[in-house]
Amino acid sequence: MKYRAFAASLLTLILLTGCGDPAQEADSAPASADLFAMDTYMNLKAYGKDASAAVKEAEERIRTLEQTLSVTDSQSDLYAINHADGAAVRVSADTAAILETAERIGQNTNGALCISLYPVLRTWGFTTGEYRVPDASEIENLLQFCDDRLISHEGDSVTIPKETELDLGAVAKGYTGDAVTEIFKQHGITSAIINLGGNVQALGKKPDGSTWTVGVTDPFSPDQLLGTLPADNQAVITSGNYERYFTDDGGNRYWHILDPETGAPADNGLAAVTVIGECGVECDALSTALFVMGTDAAADYWRQNGGFEMLLVTTDGEVCLTEGLEQKFQPKRELQSRVIRHDETN
Ligand code: ADP
Ligand code: MG
């Protein structure tokens, strides 16, 4: 069988610079960096006196995190965990912190976020690009060991069963965005925008004092915007069925976010989920989990937990916004939309 593969490239979310006050912008020195890390194109831009040093340190931090969290690098924490044959492994504070968030959100979402799906991702070819559609029995065999409750984790010690393997693809970029934000703050930067391949994190305001604006990709035409959202010291993080996928000869599309219940691409009525909140790693974890859960379960989760806003795009093309975004989302084309409110049920 021949497959056509697609991976969304640079800037799945486009930053709109808008028109600021040129005099004020000239006052602050911008520093920026473009890099390819964690399998994606990244762009960092910071304004202020110490911006060059801040961006340089951020780049180094990204490289270190990439090494620590990579599933393929034989020096990484993840590699050590996955190849320990069931023994305990000591991990860095970064790995321990990410695991803690992933395990917590995995639990809260009844396993929709599942960082132990690596063997299933591999059999579909999402880890290598050698795509195939595995048969049901093969998936079923592998799924026995894909359960985050099998992870035993205390402090910096992590143990998983011999057959289990972890992958932090759903959360690593969000955590990295938080780490870069932290470095920028330490350098006194009050205006920066961090784009980690569609995961955008805004620090402070634009140099002209206006709010950063982030584009939300149209999942049906990924080179176009569905609309824009303001980001005020917030992360804007999207998971979608258009980000990385392949199609078979029959035109069926298979994407990289799997439903841990079935081991197949999650197909619960959503084409894309954007989560907006203060904490990048949580938004990243949630964007993946809520994509798996579908509209109604995502709305229930939001009503029960709060602490973030979300924009869901259904496979029918409807946009569902939580009420905090009602006045903030600026559509770029005519859209059928509805608002998800706190004081209602599905
Ligand atoms: P992206 O990496 O495109 O920004 P996500 O944050 O949604 O998108 O992460 C998707 C990645 O997470 C996949 O490439 C895979 O490595 C991993 N993954 C797939 N399905 C799940 C799942 N249900 N739970 C946790 N991780 C997953
Ligand atoms: Mg994610």
Side-chain angles (χ1 to χ4, degrees), residues 112-114 117 121 167 169-170 173 239 256-258 260 284 288 292:
L113 183 79
C114 176
L117 279 172
L121 287 160
D167 142 68
K173 282 183 278 164
S239 290
H256 70 316
I257 302 173
L258 303 184
D284 202 1
T288 308
V292 171

Side-chain angles (χ1 to χ4, degrees), residues 274-275 290 298-299 302 308-312 320-322 325 340:
T274 299
V275 176
L290 300 174
W302 172 76
F308 67 97
E309 301 292 337
M310 64 182 182
L311 183 154
L312 313 176
C320 306
L321 297 159
T322 49
L325 300 181
I340 299 171

Side-chain angles (χ1 to χ4, degrees), residues 12-331:
T12 40
L13 291 178
I14 297 161
L15 307 177
L16 306 176
T17 45
C19 348
D21 174 347
Q24 244 184 310
E25 279 184 28
D27 276 352
S28 54
S32 70
D34 290 299
L35 60 156
F36 187 81
M38 300 183 175
D39 210 20
T40 197
Y41 291 96
M42 302 183 168
N43 174 264
L44 315 176
K45 191 175 275 174
Y47 293 82
K49 231 172 46 230
D50 212 13
S52 293
V55 166
K56 191 162 174 287
E57 193 180 325
E59 271 189 86
E60 283 163 14
R61 181 89 166 99
I62 291 172
R63 294 291 176 207
T64 305
L65 282 172
E66 179 181 37
Q67 252 172 23
T68 309
L69 305 174
S70 161
V71 79
T72 48
D73 184 332
S74 61
Q75 302 302 309
S76 80
D77 277 358
L78 260 275
Y79 193 93
I81 297 170
N82 288 345
H83 294 83
D85 278 345
V89 172
R90 285 211 178 290
V91 297
S92 66
D94 288 317
T95 305
I98 298 195
L99 286 175
E100 198 189 299
T101 305
E103 286 169 282
R104 175 167 49 81
I105 292 184
Q107 251 172 31
N108 291 350
T109 58
N110 292 322
L113 183 79
C114 176
I115 56 167
S116 53
L117 279 172
Y118 193 67
V120 186
L121 287 160
R122 180 168 46 218
T123 205
W124 281 92
F126 286 114
T127 58
T128 56
E130 286 164 27
Y131 299 112
R132 60 189 282 271
V133 180
D135 63 41
S137 63
E138 189 187 338
I139 291 180
E140 205 177 312
N141 271 338
L142 294 171
L143 274 182
Q144 307 172 56
F145 306 106
C146 301
D147 183 341
D148 290 2
R149 289 170 299 189
L150 297 170
I151 306 169
S152 134
H153 170 207
E154 264 205 59
D156 65 355
S157 169
V158 181
T159 318
I160 59 173
K162 190 176 175 336
E163 299 82 358
T164 299
E165 288 174 88
L166 309 184
D167 142 68
L168 296 175
V171 284
K173 282 183 278 164
Y175 184 86
T176 304
D178 291 336
V180 170
T181 303
E182 201 44 49
I183 288 171
F184 284 178
K185 283 183 181 165
Q186 283 163 10
H187 281 267
I189 304 292
T190 52
S191 174
I193 193 87
I194 301 156
N195 187 344
L196 310 183
N199 282 11
V200 179
Q201 294 188 224
L203 174 62
K205 305 269 187 211
K206 285 198 273 184
D208 68 2
S210 62
T211 303
W212 289 107
T213 309
V214 177
V216 179
T217 299
D218 185 341
F220 303 103
S221 315
D223 55 344
Q224 292 188 13
L225 292 185
L226 194 71
T228 61
L229 283 167
D232 195 349
N233 287 307
Q234 284 166 315
V236 181
I237 293 189
T238 299
S239 290
N241 64 7
Y242 60 89
E243 300 259 9
R244 193 184 292 263
Y245 65 83
F246 67 96
T247 45
D248 66 13
D249 289 342
N252 302 303
R253 186 190 280 206
Y254 304 93
W255 49 87
H256 70 316
I257 302 173
L258 303 184
D259 188 334
E261 292 270 333
T262 62
D267 198 9
N268 291 315
L270 290 174
V273 173
T274 299
V275 176
I276 300 107
E278 278 171 24
C279 175
V281 66
E282 289 197 8
C283 291
D284 202 1
L286 284 174
S287 72
T288 308
L290 300 174
F291 181 92
V292 171
M293 288 157 70
T295 306
D296 288 352
D300 282 343
Y301 184 92
W302 172 76
R303 288 192 192 101
Q304 277 161 27
N305 296 275
F308 67 97
E309 301 292 337
M310 64 182 182
L311 183 154
L312 313 176
V313 187
T314 70
T315 47
D316 299 335
E318 188 184 29
V319 171
C320 306
L321 297 159
T322 49
E323 62 186 33
L325 300 181
E326 191 175 3
Q327 307 299 327
K328 294 186 171 162
F329 179 62
Q330 298 288 331

